[in-house]
Amino acid sequence: MHQSPEEFKQFISARVLLVARQLATRQGFFEYWFKILPKCKSHKTAFDIVSFLYFLLFKEEKYASFNSFQSQKKRYLKSLKK
């Protein structure tokens, strides 16, 4: 089935919106990181990819560094255990 350029644009826009909605929250950022982690060579690579997507969407960085992300991830995981 062939899509018109407008249908393809709508499809891509819908996908981008879904990713943006997920990355906009702290929990969503971590969940997306865990989702892509098995496809990446390292934890840092996964972080770099998610951070890049976040920057493209929101024009700012979510975490100042990988170390900052790691620290917040530990806090996030602890909060899930409560």
Side-chain angles (χ1 to χ4, degrees):
M1 178 177 179
H2 296 286
Q3 291 179 325
S4 71
E6 186 58 34
E7 289 171 327
F8 184 68
K9 181 180 175 184
Q10 289 175 353
F11 171 78
I12 295 298
S13 294
R15 298 295 295 236
V16 168
L17 181 59
L18 289 173
V19 171
R21 282 185 179 162
Q22 183 172 14
L23 293 183
T25 68
R26 178 177 176 241
Q27 178 180 349
F29 191 96
F30 291 122
E31 287 175 355
Y32 197 83
W33 181 83
F34 280 114
K35 179 180 175 182
I36 70 162
L37 184 58
K39 299 172 184 151
C40 297
K41 290 187 177 189
S42 69
H43 288 200
K44 178 143 180 4
T45 301
F47 167 75
D48 289 342
I49 291 168
V50 180
S51 290
F52 182 66
L53 284 173
Y54 187 91
F55 186 81
L56 287 175
L57 293 166
F58 301 108
K59 307 297 185 234
E60 64 183 25
E61 293 181 352
K62 178 88 169 167
Y63 298 101
S65 66
F66 180 62
N67 289 339
S68 173
F69 166 76
Q70 295 252 86
S71 174
Q72 291 300 312
K73 182 178 57 131
K74 286 180 186 178
R75 293 176 79 192
Y76 169 72
L77 292 174
K78 276 186 184 180
S79 75
L80 294 178
K81 292 179 182 180
K82 292 181 181 179

